[in-house]
Amino acid sequence: MVASPILPPSRDDVHLTHRELQVLAGVCAGQSSKQIACDMGLRPHTVESYIGHMKMKLAAHNRCHMVAIAVARGICGDGDGRGC
């Protein structure tokens, strides 16, 4: 069995909005959707919507994969992998 790569095929046209980047920073810090929502003055459902959009944009399979992609691309984190 071949392991899937962390990074999906490169897409230079991937653009995350300022709000998505704020949510992503919380996810990379290990915060729950509820914690991120509280910090940002949003509803948890809204945070989950942002996460869903980012997963599609980054071609991530799940929340942890999204963090791995973000760390590998230098979008967030310091590369230690503590976002999952």
Side-chain angles (χ1 to χ4, degrees), residues 7-21:
L7 291 175
S10 180
R11 288 186 52 200
D12 294 331
D13 63 339
V14 172
H15 172 75
L16 299 180
T17 66
H18 177 71
R19 217 49 167 158
E20 287 171 337
L21 290 171

Side-chain angles (χ1 to χ4, degrees), residues 31-51:
Q31 291 183 307
S32 68
S33 295
K34 187 174 180 179
Q35 290 169 318
I36 296 167
C38 184
D39 289 348
M40 294 179 65
L42 302 171
R43 296 181 56 202
H45 177 76
T46 303
V47 171
E48 287 297 327
S49 292
Y50 281 122
I51 290 170

Side-chain angles (χ1 to χ4, degrees), residues 6 27-30 63-65 67-72 76-84:
I6 290 177
V27 174
C28 287
R63 189 178 177 125
C64 189
H65 189 212
V67 170
I69 292 168
V71 170
C76 74
D78 57 7
D80 67 2
R82 286 188 289 166
C84 304

